[in-house]
Amino acid sequence: MAKKGSPKLNIAIIHPDLGIGGAERLIVDAAVELASHGHKVHVFTAHHGKNRCFEETISGGFDKRLKENVEYLEELRSLAEREGVSSQVSVRNMLHQRRKSDREAVSEDDCLRAISKLKVLGNGFDVISVGKRKLVRSVPTELNKDHNEILELAQAQGFVIVDEVERRLSWTTGCAIDAFDTLLDEGLAMIDDGHKDGIRRYWFPCASSISTPGGADT
Amino acid sequence: MQKLGDFKLPQFFNYPPYFTLQPVRDTREKQIQLWKDLILDYCKTQNVFVIAVEDQDFPLFSNPAIERSLTHEAREAFLSALVSQGRAEWLDKNHRKCLILWHRIQEWANIILEFVKENGLENSVMTVEEIRSGPESRGTELHGIDRTVLMRALKLLEQKGKLAIFKGTTADDEGVKFSA
């Protein structure tokens, strides 16, 4: 809770669908309360139906620049698709591009702190450490420990094979394939059957630097 | 960025999984879109009109730098997607050869009409061969156009009364009289 006389903040709340669920209730409460303390609250959402929303989101006391927000999320998604990265986006670059006119650059630290504050409001935004890199995860599905372990393994070469997962993580083939299937379905992994050794590789766009030439493995 | 001659290849061309047809629908749709755009782009800039599916030398089908090649199934999938979009046509029922319409026939027809206007060809006559390789064609998109595509566009214009096609003594003499 802000003390009297402390500086007023610009607060962004990002939430995919501003309906009438529990998470939405929390967000609206937080937004209204923060606004009543004099902070400037902006709620970004991709969907808001006037017939199916909390009353405060219409009468509010906080700004809800809807059309702009939808475009912003669309921009994020199409940027992710163009870069070949499914769901993880370089948030910092995105923010930098959006705020071209701002004098201050956004540091990685700022990003991390902002995202950790967003985490409290739930709904899929999180920062996961994968090896040396920090990725923003914006998928609604919770990635479990198993999936994260695969992502860790993928850091080395950008891809993983079933055999490796079984060996290094001591899993059964069934478990490994299940985990891979989930990651494929989430759009986080792609299959590669083209290597001359005939072994299927699972590539993780988020774990490799696509910008470096090659991506070939020996 | 990798280049094929002076054609700039997109990033995804260097990423091995894009050479395998993806099983997950959303991922596959994205993959198909990328390949469709690449094929159209390449054909347009290199003036390629026909792709043979089994052509081992067609540069887009494999990337030696990452040791990956598109399977026959993948090639057919991408070309079929172009066909569904109206940007290509199979030339045979076994799907061995594909005509790439990086301009649709209607677009080619419009280009021909422009060509007629620019060169003041109303009411005059020109052979089909001249349209595609004559001096007026140089510097235009019509230069080197595939004959099949050109004939289709001309026939479309004939139906609309914009010109009349007539046969000469040989194929080379086939000609066109443009309307006023």
Side-chain angles (χ1 to χ4, degrees), chain A residues 49-216:
Chain A
K50 294 211 178 13
N51 297 326
R52 207 176 162 268
C53 62
F54 289 115
E55 197 259 329
E56 294 92 333
T57 64
I58 305 178
S59 63
F62 57 92
D63 180 83
K64 217 176 66 278
R65 294 175 293 183
L66 198 56
K67 182 165 173 293
E68 195 184 297
N69 299 349
V70 174
E71 283 166 6
Y72 177 63
L73 281 163
E74 278 307 310
E75 241 182 275
L76 263 173
R77 191 160 359 111
S78 67
L79 179 74
E81 281 173 7
R82 274 202 316 272
E83 298 293 304
V85 174
S86 14
S87 316
Q88 271 89 352
V89 183
S90 169
V91 174
R92 188 164 155 233
N93 288 339
M94 265 303 310
L95 286 176
H96 183 67
Q97 275 179 302
R98 284 280 296 183
R99 303 161 86 223
K100 273 196 260 273
S101 56
D102 276 12
R103 275 162 286 137
E104 274 179 57
V106 178
S107 74
E108 187 182 306
D109 234 41
D110 288 340
C111 268
L112 290 174
R113 253 184 279 128
I115 291 167
S116 68
K117 289 189 168 36
L118 284 173
K119 222 166 105 174
V120 182
L121 300 171
N123 255 79
F125 268 88
D126 198 356
V127 175
I128 50 177
S129 285
V130 182
K132 286 183 252 165
R133 296 170 72 193
K134 293 189 170 54
L135 304 173
V136 178
R137 186 201 71 213
S138 62
V139 284
T141 309
E142 285 291 320
L143 286 180
N144 60 30
K145 186 169 149 290
D146 288 348
H147 301 136
N148 283 337
E149 282 185 305
I150 293 181
L151 283 172
E152 285 265 7
L153 280 182
Q155 281 296 285
Q157 290 179 284
F159 70 88
V160 166
I161 59 179
V162 171
D163 217 46
E164 193 185 344
V165 166
E166 287 170 14
R167 253 187 308 115
R168 304 260 302 259
L169 306 179
S170 303
W171 290 4
T172 62
T173 309
C175 279
I177 306 260
D178 270 349
F180 281 127
D181 279 347
T182 305
L183 289 164
L184 280 172
D185 286 339
E186 285 301 321
L188 291 166
M190 295 176 74
I191 59 166
D192 167 28
D193 289 334
H195 198 281
K196 54 182 185 266
D197 62 16
I199 300 176
R200 170 171 286 190
R201 282 151 172 73
Y202 293 84
W203 289 81
F204 293 83
C206 56
S208 52
S209 252
I210 321 178
S211 50
T212 57

Side-chain angles (χ1 to χ4, degrees), chain B residues 64-108:
Chain B
I66 56 168
E67 293 178 306
R68 293 291 186 276
S69 286
L70 290 175
T71 59
H72 182 101
E73 197 198 353
R75 301 172 190 194
E76 226 197 299
F78 303 148
L79 292 170
S80 294
L82 278 173
V83 172
S84 304
Q85 207 187 323
R87 284 285 181 196
E89 287 175 10
W90 288 112
L91 290 173
D92 62 307
K93 65 176 186 306
N94 290 322
H95 291 192
R96 286 206 297 257
K97 281 203 169 144
C98 197
L99 181 71
I100 308 296
L101 297 168
W102 34 272
H103 278 315
R104 292 175 203 273
I105 301 292
Q106 179 60 65
E107 288 163 7
W108 282 116

